Amino acid sequence: MNLKLFSAVFTFIVTPLILPAQNHCPVIPQPQQATLGNGQFLLSQRTALVVSDASLKNAALYLQQQMLQQQHIAVAVQPAAKSLNRIILSIDKDFQNEEGYSLSVKPDAIEVSAATPQGVFYGTISLLQLLEQGKQTDEGLLMDCWNIKDAPRYGWRGLMLDESRHFFGMEKVKSILNWMAYYKLNRFHWHLTDEPAWRIEIKNYPKLALIGGIGTHTNPQSPAQFYTQQQIAEIVNYAAERNIVVIPEIDMPGHATAANRAYPEFSGGGSEKHPEFTFNPGKPETYTYLANILREVNALFPSRMIHLGGDEVSFGNQKWQTNPDIKNLMGQNNLKNVHEVESYFMQRMADTVYSLNAKLLAWDEVANMNFPTEKTIVFWWRHDQPAQLEKTLSKGYEAVICPRLPLYFDFVQDSTHTVGRKWGKGFSPIEDVYRFDINTLPGVNAKTKKQVLGVQANVWTETMVRPDQLDFMLFPRIAALSELGWTSSERKDYEAFSQILKTQFPLYRKEALNFYNPFKN
């Protein structure tokens, strides 16, 4: 397993932290409970890595490889070791949260325990971050003793990457997955289709990638770029090794321009600004075509979740008013207007998703429709329409919170920046991301807050042509997103977070990331 990120990250020893308070642990996201203990643990070639349960084999391998790349210390996995110098990974069914863990660092032993392999993995991530604070000696690495009890605030801690508008490729996606794991993010929402290009191979319809994959947001004639199904499988497996679930988005019925270039017979037309923007809801063959696509997509992604978009259809559905197929559909089904046509289309495609034993995910426009709440997740993105979140929750839908402000990472981080988006005078500084409080949102109350699955940042890439531009938008806001999704309100402290975050910057430099320094020093 090639872990380029950690190879770079852990070959650098960060200057010891000067924290504003003793109860802040040098880990991002900040653990729920953390106490500095007495003494130090010596990590060396003689340290034994003890695994008490076969289910932890992958977590042990991951930790072993990271410590080798971190300090060039090769720790052997051993059965129950008599050595007084050991790291123990164990299952403890008493944990109620499947991602929670306990990390105990004592002078003679380190123990990571959790109810699940996922929890143990997150414990090892915290251990690896603590190792960054260690001191190299002739004998090995000396690290401070800590006692941590931890669990995430939300189960959904997501990041969405749009690769339709600009394509970044395998190496960059893997780098992002590495950093997501480092910050304990666990949902990678992959926006693979839209107006500019179609980025996923579909065996039944090869022209989707070969023709639909041509172009970017800034260069409509650039050669086709897309992920083969073999590459998709590689990314899915790579993410799974890091406890990240990959969720595909196949946008419909709007944002279909690239697909319609490849197979124009399924186009429902568009508008002057957004030509050939929609699929044709009035053509029976359209549903067969899209169902075949979704079957292949579902087979490629074991998440059992498919995001269908469902947003901004009005941008390009003007031709629906005069399309004879759609007029016929409206007459046969007593549909009064194009909004009802859109609902009809989404219901049929939702039924296809449900038939695949998958959940339907969509943007908050679908809250106006009526889908089975136990099979549907709504993504609230329109921060200027809080009533849409209230409607989502009042109808009983589960929700992922991802409003444009402050969680669209294509918005600039500073008012002086010129590459990126602004909403009027609004932009998304890291402090706004960190301080965002879901509990103050309309409709979120004691009854409905259990429907809030978590948070997600969305990275739309109209303005990001190169990987270094993508980096500049992601870093360091991804660290604030991490703490927003994981750490309880009581444990959050922006000043303490800022001090810990500054120790991340040498890691970014070592990885050659083009990051923004919000502290100007």
Side-chain angles (χ1 to χ4, degrees):
M1 182 167 56
N2 179 17
L3 306 175
K4 178 183 176 184
L5 167 65
F6 285 115
S7 175
V9 165
F10 292 120
T11 56
F12 185 90
I13 299 298
V14 180
T15 302
L17 271 176
I18 300 175
L19 293 175
Q22 287 187 349
N23 65 338
H24 283 88
C25 180
V27 168
I28 295 177
Q30 186 64 205
Q32 305 297 1
Q33 299 177 34
T35 305
L36 184 63
N38 296 318
Q40 294 179 308
F41 178 87
L42 177 66
L43 179 69
S44 73
Q45 306 284 4
R46 293 183 294 276
T47 301
L49 179 54
V50 180
V51 182
S52 66
D53 192 284
S55 67
L56 302 178
K57 178 181 177 182
N58 289 338
L61 178 62
Y62 189 89
L63 178 61
Q64 182 185 38
Q65 291 177 336
Q66 300 319 306
M67 289 189 295
L68 176 61
Q69 295 189 32
Q70 171 192 351
Q71 302 299 339
H72 305 290
I73 296 176
V75 173
V77 177
Q78 298 180 5
K82 297 179 181 178
S83 168
L84 293 178
N85 185 266
R86 60 196 186 278
I87 301 171
I88 305 166
L89 307 184
S90 63
I91 293 291
D92 182 350
K93 295 297 184 182
D94 289 340
F95 278 86
Q96 295 183 354
N97 187 302
E98 66 179 19
E99 293 183 301
Y101 66 90
S102 171
L103 171 59
S104 172
V105 183
K106 297 178 180 178
D108 61 341
I110 297 173
E111 183 167 8
V112 181
S113 59
T116 66
Q118 295 100 308
V120 170
F121 176 83
Y122 290 129
T124 65
I125 291 294
S126 292
L127 173 58
L128 290 167
Q129 290 198 32
L130 289 174
L131 287 170
E132 296 172 16
Q133 310 304 318
K135 179 182 179 182
Q136 286 282 11
T137 70
D138 292 339
E139 290 77 25
L141 178 73
L142 277 173
M143 62 176 295
D144 289 337
C145 293
W146 282 89
N147 292 301
I148 296 175
K149 300 282 187 182
D150 200 11
R153 183 179 186 181
Y154 293 110
W156 191 292
R157 304 178 301 280
L159 182 71
M160 188 220 78
L161 177 65
D162 162 28
E163 284 204 87
S164 173
R165 288 167 176 82
H166 288 103
F167 185 86
F168 298 98
M170 295 279 285
E171 182 178 356
K172 194 62 194 173
V173 169
K174 286 183 176 182
S175 173
I176 290 171
L177 292 170
N178 286 336
W179 283 106
M180 287 179 67
Y182 182 74
Y183 288 130
K184 300 187 177 80
L185 301 175
N186 66 353
R187 298 288 187 272
F188 180 60
H189 174 174
W190 210 358
H191 188 84
L192 291 164
T193 73
D194 210 304
E195 290 182 80
W198 182 284
R199 304 298 190 192
I200 177 173
E201 177 190 23
I202 301 297
K203 298 288 189 182
N204 276 334
Y205 304 100
K207 289 190 290 185
L208 282 171
L210 296 174
I211 296 176
I214 295 171
T216 68
H217 181 77
T218 52
N219 181 6
Q221 303 305 319
S222 66
Q225 293 177 294
F226 59 91
Y227 293 99
T228 67
Q229 293 196 358
Q230 183 178 358
Q231 289 173 320
I232 293 285
E234 184 177 340
I235 290 293
V236 168
N237 291 333
Y238 192 87
E241 290 171 349
R242 289 151 183 78
N243 285 286
I244 298 169
V245 176
V246 183
I247 298 144
E249 181 177 353
I250 307 298
D251 217 338
M252 60 182 71
H255 294 276
T257 310
N260 289 335
R261 284 202 309 271
Y263 293 94
E265 61 267 35
F266 302 114
S267 175
S271 63
E272 183 177 354
K273 188 174 181 181
H274 300 276
E276 307 306 326
F277 185 73
T278 65
F279 292 115
N280 186 348
K283 201 169 188 179
E285 293 84 357
T286 301
Y287 299 98
T288 302
Y289 165 65
L290 294 175
N292 288 338
I293 291 171
L294 293 182
R295 287 189 186 97
E296 286 197 38
V297 169
N298 187 62
L300 290 169
F301 295 89
S303 61
R304 292 293 177 262
M305 291 182 279
I306 302 177
H307 201 297
L308 294 188
D311 61 314
E312 301 177 330
V313 181
S314 62
F315 283 11
N317 65 355
Q318 283 83 339
K319 296 289 181 67
W320 287 12
Q321 303 278 4
T322 55
N323 184 297
D325 295 327
I326 296 174
K327 291 176 72 174
N328 184 53
L329 175 75
M330 294 174 70
Q332 289 180 346
N333 294 275
N334 194 28
L335 305 177
K336 298 180 180 62
N337 51 50
V338 293
H339 295 294
E340 292 191 7
V341 172
E342 181 182 336
S343 295
Y344 174 89
F345 173 93
M346 289 300 293
Q347 184 63 67
R348 286 195 61 170
M349 297 317 304
D351 288 343
T352 296
V353 173
Y354 301 145
S355 74
L356 298 172
N357 193 30
K359 280 193 173 185
L360 167 70
L361 283 56
W363 303 111
D364 64 42
E365 284 90 338
V366 301
N368 299 327
M369 306 171 195
N370 297 308
F371 296 113
T373 56
E374 72 280 5
K375 299 179 182 180
T376 307
I377 300 173
V378 176
F379 288 62
W380 179 64
W381 66 279
R382 291 180 288 180
H383 73 280
D384 55 328
Q385 296 193 33
Q388 205 67 7
L389 176 60
E390 290 187 270
K391 181 184 291 186
T392 295
L393 297 174
S394 68
K395 283 188 168 186
Y397 290 119
E398 292 181 321
V400 173
I401 307 300
C402 52
R404 280 178 292 207
L405 293 177
L407 295 182
Y408 270 30
F409 284 2
D410 49 314
F411 280 77
V412 296
Q413 300 194 60
D414 186 278
S415 61
T416 63
H417 293 169
T418 57
V419 177
R421 296 175 62 199
K422 295 180 183 178
W423 184 268
K425 295 181 180 179
F427 59 101
S428 291
I430 188 170
E431 187 171 357
D432 286 3
V433 177
Y434 188 88
R435 296 188 187 278
F436 181 60
D437 188 353
I438 291 175
N439 289 328
T440 65
L441 295 174
V444 178
N445 53 47
K447 180 181 178 182
T448 62
K449 66 180 181 180
K450 65 180 180 298
Q451 296 165 229
V452 176
L453 299 181
V455 296
Q456 177 171 295
N458 296 332
V459 187
W460 303 99
T461 61
E462 286 94 334
T463 60
M464 301 170 217
V465 178
R466 304 185 309 270
D468 64 300
Q469 294 173 322
L470 175 60
D471 290 343
F472 194 79
M473 293 301 197
L474 269 177
F475 297 93
R477 286 187 291 195
I478 189 173
L481 173 68
S482 163
E483 205 137 312
L484 174 64
W486 185 283
T487 307
S488 63
S489 298
E490 297 75 19
R491 289 290 292 168
K492 291 178 69 177
D493 180 328
Y494 184 70
E495 296 308 317
F497 167 78
S498 298
Q499 294 301 318
I500 299 170
L501 182 61
K502 289 175 184 178
T503 71
Q504 307 288 297
F505 294 169
L507 313 181
Y508 298 166
R509 293 186 186 102
K510 195 71 176 180
E511 184 64 9
L513 296 175
N514 179 37
F515 69 96
Y516 170 60
N517 182 352
F519 308 112
K520 308 296 193 297
N521 56 41

